[in-house]
Amino acid sequence: MTPPPEAAPDRSQPRSLADLYISFTLLALQGFGGVLAVVQRELVERKRWMTREEFVEEWAVAQIMPGPNVVNLSMMIGSRYFGLPGAMAALAGMLSAPLVVVLLLGFTYTSFAGVPQLAGALRGMGAVAAGLITATGLKLLPAMRSHPLGPVACLLLAAATFAGVALLRLPLAWVLLVLGTIACWLTWHRLGGARP
Amino acid sequence: MSAADWLSLFAHYLLLSLLSIGGAITTAPDMHRYLVDEQHWLTDPQFSASVAIAQAAPGPNVLFVALMGWNVGLNAGGYLTAALGVLLALSGILLPSTTLTYFAAQWGHRNRDLRGVRAFKQGMAPIVIALLVATGWVLATGATYNLHDWPLWALTAASAVIVWRTRIHLLWLLGAGALLGWFGLV
């Protein structure tokens, strides 16, 4: 795969398969309670392998496809630079070291299951992890500024999605189907009017 | 467990993989039905512990599936069958979904200039951004809103604002959350 020709000057890319594997291993090991917040921070803000807009677009595909979202995302990013070997390297990085850690934890869990402080610590980390995911969403909001639908329509769609999933607790698949169809249909029409 | 049992475990995860839109955790209720209620390969505490440990551990949450495979194998024999359980469960839940995603992403990238592809990727943007905020909300509040949990909500809100507005390393925040929880403050 060749990198997109319109690459911005401040963008870099993984040097090798080993670089991909190690990068994804390191960020997976930082991802307590979910890896997405770390992926966004490392790949968009630190390494600059992708822009905020690209991240949102890839994330849309990773989210709509079946399977674990961050695993899908890592594979898509890996394949963008090195094809199938890149996808495998990113996938292996995301899974191999954390798998060992999880199995070790499962192995020792029975001896510490009764410690109430430990359960408390897990609760506290869970609350922080929820905040990290929320912040990831908030940090991506500026990507809406250049959206073809304009900020107001985007905000309305986002508010409806939030209400459906968080407040009404509707099944995710239905929310994606109904609101996603409306959003893509509107965008399709808008793109037809002003093609760059 | 017989070879047919292992095959059926693998096949079940292959099927769940294709149904796991929104992540593997969305199919956890069906895993419970199959592994605990129907086949009795896993006890209820083992099931809950597998989910909880993988949530707390670093890495993608899908690893709870590996832990379930490990426990199923452990119940069936020893460490060798446990390793087999990990292999079958994890490759089962990942193979179909990753293959499908790989080809869909390749196709989408090759055809990224098509109006339909651009409309899909850009059109979904406000929805998936809102989904992230909603996921944080759901994780913080749990299945029901319990007012006793307000210190947890405050911690979630504070971490969200700090991560949004500053560049502090995420591990400091997780450590702070762990300490607050350890001393029973949240």
Side-chain angles (χ1 to χ4, degrees):
Chain A
M1 293 257 77
T2 49
E6 73 277 14
D10 67 341
R11 179 170 16 200
S12 65
Q13 60 176 72
R15 290 184 301 277
S16 61
L17 288 177
D19 186 19
L20 259 182
Y21 175 80
I22 293 166
S23 299
F24 276 101
T25 298
L26 290 179
L27 68 84
L29 286 177
Q30 293 176 59
F32 290 85
V35 190
L36 184 71
V38 188
V39 175
Q40 197 277 140
R41 171 169 283 214
E42 285 291 314
L43 298 192
V44 178
E45 294 177 23
R46 290 241 167 82
K47 290 179 185 290
R48 297 183 186 279
W49 286 356
M50 57 207 310
T51 64
R52 205 159 40 196
E53 285 75 13
E54 287 168 331
F55 183 84
V56 176
E57 291 188 2
E58 302 290 302
W59 181 243
V61 179
Q63 174 91 54
I64 208 85
M65 296 304 289
N69 301 326
V70 282
V71 172
N72 284 345
L73 184 69
S74 65
M75 204 180 52
M76 288 161 57
I77 294 170
S79 73
R80 188 62 37 87
Y81 297 106
F82 298 107
L84 188 58
M88 304 293 246
L91 197 63
M94 196 61 115
L95 292 175
S96 54
L99 175 63
V100 174
V101 174
V102 163
L103 289 181
L104 282 175
L105 281 177
F107 200 64
T108 46
Y109 173 74
T110 34
S111 5
F112 299 102
V115 182
Q117 285 94 336
L118 198 64
L122 290 183
R123 259 161 63 88
M125 287 171 74
V128 172
L132 304 188
I133 296 278
T134 308
T136 307
L138 295 174
K139 282 201 272 191
L140 293 171
L141 279 175
M144 298 291 85
R145 245 180 247 142
S146 53
H147 197 278
L149 290 181
V152 176
C154 282
L155 208 64
L156 286 176
L157 281 166
T161 307
F162 180 82
V165 175
L167 305 180
L168 304 173
R169 307 279 166 116
L170 300 173
L172 177 67
W174 286 110
V175 175
L176 285 177
L177 189 69
V178 174
L179 290 173
T181 307
I182 295 173
C184 294
W185 183 78
L186 288 174
T187 310
W188 194 79
H189 274 274
R190 193 58 62 91
L191 286 175
R195 182 147 188 152
Chain B
M1 280 173 76
S2 66
D5 283 341
W6 287 114
L7 201 64
S8 133
L9 176 83
F10 184 58
H12 195 77
Y13 275 111
L14 286 176
L15 179 68
L16 287 187
S17 176
L18 291 174
L19 299 176
S20 61
I21 292 168
I25 198 75
T26 56
T27 59
D30 191 72
M31 290 180 201
H32 187 275
R33 181 192 63 74
Y34 178 71
L35 297 173
V36 180
D37 301 337
E38 207 169 283
Q39 303 283 6
H40 306 291
W41 287 337
L42 210 56
T43 66
D44 200 40
Q46 280 178 324
F47 185 91
S48 311
S50 299
V51 176
I53 292 171
Q55 293 272 351
N61 292 336
V62 65
L63 291 172
F64 76 88
V65 170
L67 219 41
M68 283 177 192
W70 174 266
N71 284 321
V72 167
L74 215 52
N75 293 347
Y79 293 132
L80 209 64
T81 45
L84 179 67
V86 171
L87 185 75
L88 290 180
L90 195 57
S91 58
I93 198 77
L94 287 176
L95 262 178
S97 64
T98 48
T99 309
L100 202 64
T101 304
Y102 178 78
F103 287 110
Q106 291 282 331
W107 184 88
H109 192 62
R110 261 198 315 276
N111 297 287
R112 59 188 176 281
D113 293 328
L114 286 184
R115 186 170 157 200
V117 171
R118 291 195 302 143
F120 170 74
K121 285 187 167 187
Q122 295 187 19
M124 289 305 290
I127 313 259
V128 296
I129 290 174
L131 269 183
L132 291 173
V133 180
T135 304
W137 181 280
V138 170
L139 285 177
T141 53
T144 51
Y145 299 98
N146 188 342
L147 272 181
H148 291 292
D149 285 337
W150 73 264
L152 275 179
W153 301 344
L155 179 58
T156 299
S159 350
V161 171
I162 291 171
V163 176
W164 183 27
R165 284 301 178 193
T166 72
R167 299 182 65 84
I168 189 172
H169 201 283
L170 307 181
L171 286 182
W172 288 112
L173 288 171
L174 284 159
L179 276 179
L180 287 172
W182 180 275
F183 292 110
L185 296 172
V186 290

